């Protein structure tokens, strides 16, 4: 395994140049671990060293905000803060330069010994240039405390970079478990570090309504709370009784939402709200039972409900009035171009037997309940587009006919995205196969409880939002990709981080970097440097990719060998047989032949010591 003690390395290469009293520092390409990998990077001679005299040169408030992201970090870790100024000094500065020849989100980062220039056409590009600069600095820049004896050196480089896709997202399900605003802000910081630009908030589901709506206060008074059965498996939680007190829950106030949206904007991230319909809405029906076909009281469920038969009535006009009022308030709070309306997994049995719904089917000459969902979604799309926004929905919105201006989020695989793009609709790819971060990322017996499927880090790294069978025209409709973190099995923020990182790091590279630059070995070595940043940022990332797995192989002569491995190509694995102690472990160099019952004890080693979980 490659470890790179940057401080030691720097000391080894510092020498004093006769003509200049500044320290001369040399880097090699191995010292550069920017994620996602930039499109073009050329290493030059020398380095720029930040010190208390360094100045950030900005034009306007926006550039000042971006500069502040890094200057505040210096205040924390170095004890001094570079000045933010408007005029260019003779040297030792970082300047932002507007370059209209660059595309949206593209940037150029030129680091020379006496100055750094970040060029872009606007906010996002400047921000991404700064984020790359941040990743060129020693990992100690991320520390929450003062760091001693660090040379804040950045290699002289020229980077030209731009994203492959314009939608680079993460969905947080804040309904199944509620996560406080402060955590959402921390996730936004993590997204910004990876040049991700969409945070999709799944604000509504059966188990909780999580956004304050002024016109319908019971949505949060009633819909945001459920009877606490957190000590039980999600799918074993009994139906709550009216005598039980709903104590688990929470919601974001309008002020919280404004703060999240503004914070995200500053970090180049658009927050896309999802207001589910017509199913996954027991929390809303618990608050306002008249929204359902039967109008009977229900309670917010404490855990899993399947199939989900509770559904908004598509026959009553009052349902649409309610949803339009809710969406009006939502659009007031979220300036996003896209408004997500869910649309997934609706069981339509109640529609089959509801007189209102049947009347609607007849009056609108619909073929049945499938087309009734299509009617429902088309109405919502008309409303949303009348407000100048774009409706986004899960791929079920294709069924029974897709609304004209809708964008599709393809989750049950890539098929929905393929079909929608063929019909000329934009799509966001988020297939369960690569993008569902609620799935296990390591062997089940060494991981916290998760949804029973497997998406390890290297699988995420294989994600491609565009598939070979798409035409050029279809590929042009693929906005990008997104990871989804459903939270049925994720009760805490630290657990949430564990599921997000480092899979998000892999996903970020798949949606930003050029496909031909995809290189697993190179990625993992950069990721190990990123882990140092996560450590300092207090991010609880999973080390699952280091978990040692053992596979038995039997040849044609019945000889058995055991193959040990981890997801990281160069892991230093050492092992002992039977009762041996790991302190006497020998390096694993290839399959271990076994001819009798044998116990193998193995561990990953770092600096000659066993680390992580042993096998
Ligand atoms: C989904 O996973 N039900 C969109
Ligand atoms: Zn109905």
């Amino acid at each position: 395994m490659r470890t790179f003690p940057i401080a030691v390395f720097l000391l080894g290469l510092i020498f004093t140049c006769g003509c200049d009293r500044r320290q001369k520092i040399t880097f090699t390409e191995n010292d550069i671990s920017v994620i996602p990998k930039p499109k073009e990077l050329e290493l030059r001679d020398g380095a720029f060293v930040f010190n208390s005299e360094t100045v950030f040169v900005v034009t306007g408030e926006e550039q000042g905000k971006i500069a502040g992201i890094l200057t505040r970090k210096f205040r924390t870790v170095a004890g001094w803060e570079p000045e933010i100024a408007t005029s260019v000094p003779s040297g030792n500065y970082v300047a932002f330069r507007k370059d209209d020849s660059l595309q949206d989100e593209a940037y150029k980062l030129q680091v020379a010994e006496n100055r750094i220039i970040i060029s872009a056409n606007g906010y996002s590009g400047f921000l991404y240039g700064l984020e790359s600069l941040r990743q060129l600095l020693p990992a100690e820049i991320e520390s929450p405390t003062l760091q001693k004896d660090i040379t804040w050196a950045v290699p002289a480089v020229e980077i030209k970079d731009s994203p492959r896709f314009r939608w680079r997202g993460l969905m947080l399900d804040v309904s199944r478990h509620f996560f406080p605003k402060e955590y959402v802000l921390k996730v936004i910081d993590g997204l910004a570090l990876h040049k991700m630009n969409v945070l999709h908030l799944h604000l509504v589901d059966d188990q909780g309504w999580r956004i304050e709506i002024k016109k319908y206060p019971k949505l949060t008074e009633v819909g945001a709370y459920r009877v606490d059965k957190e000590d039980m498996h999600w799918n074993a939680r009994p139906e709550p009784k009216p005598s039980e007190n709903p104590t688990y829950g929470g919601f974001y106030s309008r002020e919280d939402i404004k703060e999240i949206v503004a914070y995200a904007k500053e970090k180049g991230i658009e927050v896309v709200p999802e207001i589910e319909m017509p199913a996954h809405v027991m929390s809303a029906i618990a608050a306002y039972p008249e929204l359902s076909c039967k109008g009977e009281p229900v309670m917010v469920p404490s855990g899993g409900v399947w199939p989900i038969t509770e559904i908004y009535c598509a026959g009553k006009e009052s349902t649409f009035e309610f949803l339009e009022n809710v969406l009006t308030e939502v659009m007031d709070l979220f300036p996003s171009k896209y408004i997500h309306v869910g649309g997934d997994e609706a069981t339509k049995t109640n529609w089959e037997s509801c007189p209102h719904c049947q009347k609607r089917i007849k009056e609108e000459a619909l073929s049945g309940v499938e087309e009734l969902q299509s009617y429902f979604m088309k109405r919502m799309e008309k409303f949303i587009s009348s407000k100048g926004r774009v409706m986004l929905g899960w791929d079920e919105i294709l069924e029974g006919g897709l609304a004209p201006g809708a964008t599709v989020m393809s989750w049950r695989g890539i098929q929905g995205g393929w079909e929608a793009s063929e019909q000329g609709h934009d799509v966001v790819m988020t297939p369960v196969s690569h993008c569902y971060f609620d799935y296990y990322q390591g062997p089940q017996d060494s991981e916290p409880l998760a949804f029973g499927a497997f998406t390890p880090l290297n699988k995420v790294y294989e994600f491609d939002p565009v598939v070979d069978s798409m035409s050029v025209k279809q590929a042009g409709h693929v906005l990008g990709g997104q990871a989804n973190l459903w939270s049925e099995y994720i009760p805490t923020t630290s657990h949430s981080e564990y599921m997000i990182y480092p899979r998000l790091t892999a996903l970020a590279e798949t949606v930003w970097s050029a496909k031909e630059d995809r290189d697993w070995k190179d990625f993992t070595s950069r990721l190990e440097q990123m882990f140092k940043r996560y450590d300092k940022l207090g991010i609880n990332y999973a080390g699952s990719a280091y978990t040692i797995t053992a596979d038995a192989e039997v040849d044609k002569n019945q000889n058995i060998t055991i193959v040990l491995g981890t997801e990281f190509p160069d892991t230093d694995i050492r092992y002992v047989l039977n009762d041996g102690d790991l302190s006497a472990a020998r390096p694993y160099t290839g399959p271990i032949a076994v001819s009798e019952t044998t116990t193998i004890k193995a561990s990953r080693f770092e600096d000659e010591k066993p680390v992580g979980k042993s096998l």
Side-chain angles (χ1 to χ4, degrees), residues 21-51:
R21 295 182 70 86
R22 287 169 71 97
Q23 292 168 330
K24 181 101 181 158
I25 301 167
T26 308
F27 288 87
T28 73
E29 286 190 358
N30 283 345
D31 309 327
I32 297 174
S33 347
V34 178
I35 297 179
K37 195 175 182 69
K39 206 175 203 166
E40 288 176 43
L41 186 152
E42 211 178 294
L43 182 63
R44 302 269 160 87
D45 218 21
F48 179 94
V49 180
F50 283 85
N51 58 33

mmCIF file of all heavy atoms in Angstrom, residues 21-51:
data_model
loop_
_atom_site.group_PDB
_atom_site.id
_atom_site.type_symbol
_atom_site.label_atom_id
_atom_site.label_comp_id
_atom_site.label_asym_id
_atom_site.label_seq_id
_atom_site.Cartn_x
_atom_site.Cartn_y
_atom_site.Cartn_z
ATOM 1 N N ARG A 21 15.996 33.725 -1.551
ATOM 2 C CA ARG A 21 16.016 33.189 -0.198
ATOM 3 C C ARG A 21 14.804 32.305 0.084
ATOM 4 O O ARG A 21 14.712 31.683 1.119
ATOM 5 C CB ARG A 21 16.097 34.339 0.814
ATOM 6 C CG ARG A 21 17.402 35.099 0.685
ATOM 7 C CD ARG A 21 17.495 36.192 1.714
ATOM 8 N NE ARG A 21 17.655 35.624 3.058
ATOM 9 C CZ ARG A 21 18.826 35.293 3.579
ATOM 10 N NH1 ARG A 21 19.935 35.449 2.895
ATOM 11 N NH2 ARG A 21 18.889 34.799 4.800
ATOM 12 N N ARG A 22 13.837 32.296 -0.874
ATOM 13 C CA ARG A 22 12.652 31.447 -0.671
ATOM 14 C C ARG A 22 13.059 29.984 -0.749
ATOM 15 O O ARG A 22 13.969 29.624 -1.471
ATOM 16 C CB ARG A 22 11.613 31.708 -1.765
ATOM 17 C CG ARG A 22 10.927 33.034 -1.600
ATOM 18 C CD ARG A 22 10.130 33.329 -2.843
ATOM 19 N NE ARG A 22 8.976 32.442 -2.926
ATOM 20 C CZ ARG A 22 7.753 32.785 -2.533
ATOM 21 N NH1 ARG A 22 7.541 33.964 -2.014
ATOM 22 N NH2 ARG A 22 6.751 31.942 -2.640
ATOM 23 N N GLN A 23 12.342 29.158 -0.036
ATOM 24 C CA GLN A 23 12.612 27.722 -0.110
ATOM 25 C C GLN A 23 12.177 27.207 -1.471
ATOM 26 O O GLN A 23 11.152 27.608 -1.984
ATOM 27 C CB GLN A 23 11.800 26.993 0.959
ATOM 28 C CG GLN A 23 12.260 27.314 2.336
ATOM 29 C CD GLN A 23 11.258 26.821 3.358
ATOM 30 O OE1 GLN A 23 10.067 26.760 3.100
ATOM 31 N NE2 GLN A 23 11.765 26.477 4.514
ATOM 32 N N LYS A 24 12.968 26.346 -2.031
ATOM 33 C CA LYS A 24 12.627 25.740 -3.315
ATOM 34 C C LYS A 24 12.094 24.344 -3.033
ATOM 35 O O LYS A 24 12.741 23.540 -2.380
ATOM 36 C CB LYS A 24 13.889 25.681 -4.166
ATOM 37 C CG LYS A 24 13.673 25.095 -5.516
ATOM 38 C CD LYS A 24 13.581 26.187 -6.538
ATOM 39 C CE LYS A 24 13.343 25.595 -7.922
ATOM 40 N NZ LYS A 24 12.758 26.563 -8.803
ATOM 41 N N ILE A 25 10.922 24.090 -3.493
ATOM 42 C CA ILE A 25 10.288 22.807 -3.207
ATOM 43 C C ILE A 25 9.913 22.144 -4.522
ATOM 44 O O ILE A 25 9.418 22.804 -5.424
ATOM 45 C CB ILE A 25 9.027 23.017 -2.341
ATOM 46 C CG1 ILE A 25 9.424 23.706 -1.041
ATOM 47 C CG2 ILE A 25 8.324 21.701 -2.063
ATOM 48 C CD1 ILE A 25 8.259 24.238 -0.266
ATOM 49 N N THR A 26 10.168 20.875 -4.591
ATOM 50 C CA THR A 26 9.828 20.147 -5.809
ATOM 51 C C THR A 26 8.813 19.064 -5.505
ATOM 52 O O THR A 26 8.914 18.378 -4.500
ATOM 53 C CB THR A 26 11.092 19.501 -6.407
ATOM 54 O OG1 THR A 26 12.073 20.508 -6.536
ATOM 55 C CG2 THR A 26 10.795 18.904 -7.762
ATOM 56 N N PHE A 27 7.850 18.966 -6.373
ATOM 57 C CA PHE A 27 6.831 17.914 -6.241
ATOM 58 C C PHE A 27 6.941 16.971 -7.426
ATOM 59 O O PHE A 27 7.462 17.335 -8.469
ATOM 60 C CB PHE A 27 5.422 18.524 -6.243
ATOM 61 C CG PHE A 27 5.068 19.264 -4.983
ATOM 62 C CD1 PHE A 27 5.387 20.606 -4.841
ATOM 63 C CD2 PHE A 27 4.395 18.620 -3.952
ATOM 64 C CE1 PHE A 27 5.040 21.291 -3.686
ATOM 65 C CE2 PHE A 27 4.047 19.300 -2.806
ATOM 66 C CZ PHE A 27 4.369 20.642 -2.667
ATOM 67 N N THR A 28 6.395 15.785 -7.250
ATOM 68 C CA THR A 28 6.245 14.881 -8.399
ATOM 69 C C THR A 28 4.751 14.657 -8.617
ATOM 70 O O THR A 28 3.936 15.006 -7.754
ATOM 71 C CB THR A 28 6.913 13.507 -8.154
ATOM 72 O OG1 THR A 28 6.121 12.779 -7.221
ATOM 73 C CG2 THR A 28 8.336 13.660 -7.632
ATOM 74 N N GLU A 29 4.412 14.034 -9.733
ATOM 75 C CA GLU A 29 2.985 13.824 -10.035
ATOM 76 C C GLU A 29 2.305 12.949 -8.993
ATOM 77 O O GLU A 29 1.108 13.070 -8.759
ATOM 78 C CB GLU A 29 2.825 13.253 -11.437
ATOM 79 C CG GLU A 29 3.081 14.349 -12.448
ATOM 80 C CD GLU A 29 2.748 14.009 -13.871
ATOM 81 O OE1 GLU A 29 2.342 12.875 -14.134
ATOM 82 O OE2 GLU A 29 2.922 14.909 -14.703
ATOM 83 N N ASN A 30 3.080 12.071 -8.365
ATOM 84 C CA ASN A 30 2.504 11.206 -7.327
ATOM 85 C C ASN A 30 2.020 11.989 -6.115
ATOM 86 O O ASN A 30 1.255 11.478 -5.306
ATOM 87 C CB ASN A 30 3.534 10.179 -6.840
ATOM 88 C CG ASN A 30 3.682 9.056 -7.832
ATOM 89 O OD1 ASN A 30 2.836 8.906 -8.720
ATOM 90 N ND2 ASN A 30 4.741 8.288 -7.704
ATOM 91 N N ASP A 31 2.504 13.209 -5.975
ATOM 92 C CA ASP A 31 2.098 14.004 -4.812
ATOM 93 C C ASP A 31 0.781 14.725 -5.053
ATOM 94 O O ASP A 31 0.271 15.391 -4.166
ATOM 95 C CB ASP A 31 3.156 15.070 -4.502
ATOM 96 C CG ASP A 31 4.523 14.466 -4.410
ATOM 97 O OD1 ASP A 31 4.603 13.307 -3.966
ATOM 98 O OD2 ASP A 31 5.499 15.129 -4.812
ATOM 99 N N ILE A 32 0.233 14.606 -6.256
ATOM 100 C CA ILE A 32 -0.991 15.343 -6.580
ATOM 101 C C ILE A 32 -2.148 14.366 -6.569
ATOM 102 O O ILE A 32 -2.152 13.388 -7.300
ATOM 103 C CB ILE A 32 -0.848 16.031 -7.954
ATOM 104 C CG1 ILE A 32 0.282 17.061 -7.858
ATOM 105 C CG2 ILE A 32 -2.156 16.676 -8.394
ATOM 106 C CD1 ILE A 32 0.644 17.713 -9.160
ATOM 107 N N SER A 33 -3.094 14.613 -5.679
ATOM 108 C CA SER A 33 -4.209 13.646 -5.548
ATOM 109 C C SER A 33 -5.548 14.343 -5.615
ATOM 110 O O SER A 33 -6.376 14.175 -4.737
ATOM 111 C CB SER A 33 -4.119 12.883 -4.240
ATOM 112 O OG SER A 33 -2.937 13.020 -3.613
ATOM 113 N N VAL A 34 -5.750 15.155 -6.622
ATOM 114 C CA VAL A 34 -7.026 15.871 -6.726
ATOM 115 C C VAL A 34 -8.120 14.882 -7.156
ATOM 116 O O VAL A 34 -7.935 14.080 -8.060
ATOM 117 C CB VAL A 34 -6.921 17.028 -7.749
ATOM 118 C CG1 VAL A 34 -8.263 17.735 -7.894
ATOM 119 C CG2 VAL A 34 -5.826 18.000 -7.334
ATOM 120 N N ILE A 35 -9.249 14.946 -6.452
ATOM 121 C CA ILE A 35 -10.437 14.139 -6.807
ATOM 122 C C ILE A 35 -11.630 15.090 -6.914
ATOM 123 O O ILE A 35 -11.856 15.861 -5.984
ATOM 124 C CB ILE A 35 -10.733 13.064 -5.742
ATOM 125 C CG1 ILE A 35 -9.568 12.059 -5.641
ATOM 126 C CG2 ILE A 35 -12.030 12.321 -6.073
ATOM 127 C CD1 ILE A 35 -9.770 10.980 -4.586
ATOM 128 N N PRO A 36 -12.408 15.048 -7.976
ATOM 129 C CA PRO A 36 -12.247 14.228 -9.168
ATOM 130 C C PRO A 36 -11.043 14.650 -10.013
ATOM 131 O O PRO A 36 -10.637 15.817 -9.989
ATOM 132 C CB PRO A 36 -13.550 14.472 -9.931
ATOM 133 C CG PRO A 36 -14.077 15.770 -9.422
ATOM 134 C CD PRO A 36 -13.628 15.878 -8.012
ATOM 135 N N LYS A 37 -10.515 13.673 -10.738
ATOM 136 C CA LYS A 37 -9.292 13.916 -11.516
ATOM 137 C C LYS A 37 -9.524 15.007 -12.553
ATOM 138 O O LYS A 37 -10.475 14.929 -13.340
ATOM 139 C CB LYS A 37 -8.892 12.623 -12.224
ATOM 140 C CG LYS A 37 -7.474 12.643 -12.766
ATOM 141 C CD LYS A 37 -7.107 11.291 -13.355
ATOM 142 C CE LYS A 37 -5.679 11.275 -13.865
ATOM 143 N NZ LYS A 37 -4.669 11.345 -12.796
ATOM 144 N N PRO A 38 -8.655 16.024 -12.556
ATOM 145 C CA PRO A 38 -8.831 17.097 -13.549
ATOM 146 C C PRO A 38 -8.564 16.610 -14.979
ATOM 147 O O PRO A 38 -7.822 15.661 -15.190
ATOM 148 C CB PRO A 38 -7.781 18.127 -13.136
ATOM 149 C CG PRO A 38 -7.418 17.792 -11.736
ATOM 150 C CD PRO A 38 -7.584 16.314 -11.602
ATOM 151 N N LYS A 39 -9.189 17.308 -15.886
ATOM 152 C CA LYS A 39 -9.084 16.948 -17.304
ATOM 153 C C LYS A 39 -7.633 17.023 -17.799
ATOM 154 O O LYS A 39 -7.126 16.119 -18.438
ATOM 155 C CB LYS A 39 -9.944 17.945 -18.086
ATOM 156 C CG LYS A 39 -10.455 17.461 -19.379
ATOM 157 C CD LYS A 39 -11.376 18.552 -19.928
ATOM 158 C CE LYS A 39 -12.357 17.993 -20.900
ATOM 159 N NZ LYS A 39 -13.428 18.968 -21.153
ATOM 160 N N GLU A 40 -6.983 18.138 -17.517
ATOM 161 C CA GLU A 40 -5.573 18.307 -17.929
ATOM 162 C C GLU A 40 -4.796 18.860 -16.759
ATOM 163 O O GLU A 40 -5.247 19.827 -16.127
ATOM 164 C CB GLU A 40 -5.465 19.344 -19.061
ATOM 165 C CG GLU A 40 -5.972 18.876 -20.387
ATOM 166 C CD GLU A 40 -5.915 20.016 -21.408
ATOM 167 O OE1 GLU A 40 -4.912 20.761 -21.468
ATOM 168 O OE2 GLU A 40 -6.917 20.165 -22.128
ATOM 169 N N LEU A 41 -3.671 18.256 -16.498
ATOM 170 C CA LEU A 41 -2.828 18.754 -15.405
ATOM 171 C C LEU A 41 -1.375 18.651 -15.823
ATOM 172 O O LEU A 41 -0.911 17.587 -16.224
ATOM 173 C CB LEU A 41 -3.072 17.923 -14.140
ATOM 174 C CG LEU A 41 -2.389 18.394 -12.856
ATOM 175 C CD1 LEU A 41 -3.194 17.984 -11.646
ATOM 176 C CD2 LEU A 41 -0.955 17.888 -12.728
ATOM 177 N N GLU A 42 -0.700 19.747 -15.784
ATOM 178 C CA GLU A 42 0.715 19.757 -16.150
ATOM 179 C C GLU A 42 1.507 20.251 -14.951
ATOM 180 O O GLU A 42 1.225 21.332 -14.426
ATOM 181 C CB GLU A 42 0.886 20.715 -17.325
ATOM 182 C CG GLU A 42 2.005 20.318 -18.250
ATOM 183 C CD GLU A 42 2.057 21.287 -19.406
ATOM 184 O OE1 GLU A 42 1.091 21.307 -20.214
ATOM 185 O OE2 GLU A 42 3.033 22.052 -19.459
ATOM 186 N N LEU A 43 2.442 19.430 -14.535
ATOM 187 C CA LEU A 43 3.262 19.795 -13.380
ATOM 188 C C LEU A 43 4.459 20.613 -13.857
ATOM 189 O O LEU A 43 5.147 20.243 -14.804
ATOM 190 C CB LEU A 43 3.733 18.518 -12.675
ATOM 191 C CG LEU A 43 4.562 18.683 -11.419
ATOM 192 C CD1 LEU A 43 3.782 19.384 -10.313
ATOM 193 C CD2 LEU A 43 5.057 17.323 -10.931
ATOM 194 N N ARG A 44 4.675 21.721 -13.166
ATOM 195 C CA ARG A 44 5.818 22.575 -13.506
ATOM 196 C C ARG A 44 6.855 22.480 -12.392
ATOM 197 O O ARG A 44 6.628 21.839 -11.378
ATOM 198 C CB ARG A 44 5.353 24.033 -13.647
ATOM 199 C CG ARG A 44 4.269 24.224 -14.677
ATOM 200 C CD ARG A 44 4.888 24.547 -16.043
ATOM 201 N NE ARG A 44 3.943 24.287 -17.123
ATOM 202 C CZ ARG A 44 3.046 25.159 -17.583
ATOM 203 N NH1 ARG A 44 2.962 26.357 -17.039
ATOM 204 N NH2 ARG A 44 2.255 24.850 -18.574
ATOM 205 N N ASP A 45 7.911 23.215 -12.566
ATOM 206 C CA ASP A 45 8.958 23.227 -11.567
ATOM 207 C C ASP A 45 8.595 24.153 -10.410
ATOM 208 O O ASP A 45 8.055 25.221 -10.643
ATOM 209 C CB ASP A 45 10.218 23.782 -12.261
ATOM 210 C CG ASP A 45 11.429 23.056 -11.776
ATOM 211 O OD1 ASP A 45 11.269 21.930 -11.271
ATOM 212 O OD2 ASP A 45 12.533 23.630 -11.896
ATOM 213 N N GLY A 46 8.873 23.756 -9.205
ATOM 214 C CA GLY A 46 8.724 24.659 -8.068
ATOM 215 C C GLY A 46 7.365 24.598 -7.412
ATOM 216 O O GLY A 46 6.557 23.705 -7.682
ATOM 217 N N ALA A 47 7.133 25.572 -6.543
ATOM 218 C CA ALA A 47 5.909 25.563 -5.734
ATOM 219 C C ALA A 47 5.574 26.973 -5.296
ATOM 220 O O ALA A 47 6.430 27.852 -5.252
ATOM 221 C CB ALA A 47 6.107 24.679 -4.516
ATOM 222 N N PHE A 48 4.313 27.173 -4.974
ATOM 223 C CA PHE A 48 3.872 28.421 -4.351
ATOM 224 C C PHE A 48 3.693 28.124 -2.871
ATOM 225 O O PHE A 48 3.081 27.117 -2.520
ATOM 226 C CB PHE A 48 2.545 28.864 -4.965
ATOM 227 C CG PHE A 48 1.986 30.130 -4.370
ATOM 228 C CD1 PHE A 48 2.245 31.363 -4.962
ATOM 229 C CD2 PHE A 48 1.203 30.095 -3.214
ATOM 230 C CE1 PHE A 48 1.729 32.535 -4.417
ATOM 231 C CE2 PHE A 48 0.691 31.259 -2.665
ATOM 232 C CZ PHE A 48 0.950 32.488 -3.265
ATOM 233 N N VAL A 49 4.227 29.004 -2.031
ATOM 234 C CA VAL A 49 4.087 28.772 -0.591
ATOM 235 C C VAL A 49 3.233 29.881 0.024
ATOM 236 O O VAL A 49 3.579 31.059 -0.071
ATOM 237 C CB VAL A 49 5.469 28.707 0.098
ATOM 238 C CG1 VAL A 49 5.295 28.466 1.596
ATOM 239 C CG2 VAL A 49 6.328 27.617 -0.524
ATOM 240 N N PHE A 50 2.132 29.491 0.620
ATOM 241 C CA PHE A 50 1.264 30.467 1.305
ATOM 242 C C PHE A 50 1.932 30.907 2.604
ATOM 243 O O PHE A 50 2.485 30.080 3.330
ATOM 244 C CB PHE A 50 -0.083 29.835 1.652
ATOM 245 C CG PHE A 50 -1.027 29.713 0.490
ATOM 246 C CD1 PHE A 50 -0.961 28.631 -0.368
ATOM 247 C CD2 PHE A 50 -1.994 30.685 0.254
ATOM 248 C CE1 PHE A 50 -1.840 28.516 -1.439
ATOM 249 C CE2 PHE A 50 -2.875 30.582 -0.816
ATOM 250 C CZ PHE A 50 -2.797 29.487 -1.665
ATOM 251 N N ASN A 51 1.843 32.194 2.882
ATOM 252 C CA ASN A 51 2.289 32.685 4.196
ATOM 253 C C ASN A 51 1.409 33.859 4.602
ATOM 254 O O ASN A 51 0.456 34.204 3.881
ATOM 255 C CB ASN A 51 3.782 33.061 4.159
ATOM 256 C CG ASN A 51 4.065 34.127 3.107
ATOM 257 O OD1 ASN A 51 3.223 34.994 2.848
ATOM 258 N ND2 ASN A 51 5.227 34.052 2.493
#
